[in-house]
Amino acid sequence: MDFKEFTFKQIDSDTEIKSFDCGDTDLNDFLFSDAINYYKSMMALTYILEDRSANKTVAYYSLLNDKIVFDPDSKKLWNKLNRRVPNSKRRKDYPAVKIGRLAVSKDYAGMEIGKSILLQVKHMFATMRRSACRFITVDAYAAAVPFYEKCGFMYLSEKDKDAPTRSMYFDLINFLD
Ligand SMILES: CC(C)(COP(=O)(O)OP(=O)(O)OC[C@H]1O[C@@H](n2cnc3c(N)ncnc32)[C@H](O)[C@@H]1OP(=O)(O)O)[C@@H](O)C(=O)NCCC(=O)NCCS
């Protein structure tokens, strides 16, 4: 694999999407059918990693603004989340950026590309700081929950323990330690 042939870009109205299959139909369809419409309607920005030599899409993810809101039924988890926020700055909601979608092609799975993408997002928001945002959120597919856990994400609620997706977050303050 020649990583020098990898290029990274943000989707816009004219982007031609190269072939991609992550094994999940909804995530594949989003890339080919919806990502550009989301860009045009300013509802989510999609970033893609391409392999020039293979003429393929390696991975993509989309981002949108979000907020984490206090849920009285998940007090214990909220206290954990709040612990590193100074008392005077504690609120019932916090600014966040949401990973709307993240998918790595089956051809490139298990090569730490997903992990590197999360590192890039952490860097983007923890150090570049175009606007303040404390957390990254994701509604993780049940099968991908262990992946997010390995990348430092925590649970927002116990209510979705057996649901098809779980609400998870990463505290960007941890990235600066
Ligand atoms: C989940 C996904 C993004 C992981 O991407 P990837 O590039 O293959 O993962 P990485 O190689 O970066 O894995 C990083 C670590 O997570 C682990 N991991 C990755 N996917 C995992 C899974 N499904 N279950 C358990 N562990 C997993 C890896 O073993 C690795 O562990 P290590 O650091 O101890 O070696 C990718 O498999 C994918 O796109 N899946 C289909 C779509 C999907 O589920 N997207 C998430 C939507 S919320």
Side-chain angles (χ1 to χ4, degrees), residues 8-9 11 17 20-22 24-32 34-35 45-50 57-63 99-105 113-114 117 141 148:
F8 176 72
K9 67 183 179 196
I11 279 183
I17 312 289
F20 179 75
D21 180 13
C22 69
D24 180 281
T25 311
D26 288 343
L27 289 169
N28 291 344
D29 287 350
F30 176 85
L31 180 64
F32 290 104
D34 289 330
L45 279 185
T46 301
Y47 298 86
I48 48 180
L49 185 65
E50 293 179 338
T57 303
V58 175
Y60 82 87
Y61 64 93
S62 61
L63 300 179
I99 298 177
R101 291 181 177 70
L102 163 62
V104 176
S105 158
I113 289 170
I117 284 176
Y141 283 13
Y148 285 103

Side-chain angles (χ1 to χ4, degrees), residues 22-24 27 101-105 108-116 138-141 143-148 150-151:
C22 69
D24 180 281
L27 289 169
R101 291 181 177 70
L102 163 62
V104 176
S105 158
Y108 299 85
M111 297 169 62
E112 301 208 331
I113 289 170
K115 192 171 165 178
S116 308
V138 68
D139 295 329
Y141 283 13
V145 163
F147 161 73
Y148 285 103
K150 282 198 167 167
C151 296

Side-chain angles (χ1 to χ4, degrees), residues 32-94:
F32 290 104
S33 309
D34 289 330
I36 289 179
N37 291 332
Y38 272 71
Y39 167 78
K40 286 181 181 166
S41 55
M42 300 169 84
M43 299 298 277
L45 279 185
T46 301
Y47 298 86
I48 48 180
L49 185 65
E50 293 179 338
D51 181 347
R52 261 189 312 221
S53 59
N55 202 32
K56 287 178 178 174
T57 303
V58 175
Y60 82 87
Y61 64 93
S62 61
L63 300 179
L64 61 154
N65 289 358
D66 195 17
K67 69 175 173 179
I68 290 184
V69 181
F70 172 62
D71 172 4
D73 294 336
S74 302
K75 241 182 186 159
K76 218 166 123 194
L77 292 176
W78 183 261
N79 289 341
K80 202 167 174 183
L81 176 153
N82 247 344
R83 209 169 289 152
R84 300 192 64 194
V85 179
N87 265 328
S88 61
K89 300 282 180 298
R90 286 188 184 160
R91 305 163 43 152
K92 297 279 185 208
D93 56 63
Y94 292 111

Side-chain angles (χ1 to χ4, degrees), residues 107-172:
D107 298 342
Y108 299 85
M111 297 169 62
E112 301 208 331
I113 289 170
K115 192 171 165 178
S116 308
I117 284 176
L118 291 183
L119 266 179
Q120 185 189 34
V121 177
K122 290 170 187 175
H123 172 73
M124 246 194 224
F125 288 90
T127 57
M128 288 163 69
R129 300 204 194 189
R130 295 275 173 96
S131 98
C133 118
R134 173 69 190 249
F135 298 97
I136 302 175
T137 57
V138 68
D139 295 329
Y141 283 13
V145 163
F147 161 73
Y148 285 103
E149 276 183 329
K150 282 198 167 167
C151 296
F153 280 68
M154 321 267 281
Y155 300 117
L156 258 181
S157 166
E158 284 299 328
K159 284 192 280 190
D160 54 5
K161 204 161 61 164
D162 301 313
T165 61
R166 280 208 82 170
S167 301
M168 301 181 81
Y169 71 92
F170 178 85
D171 187 346
L172 284 162

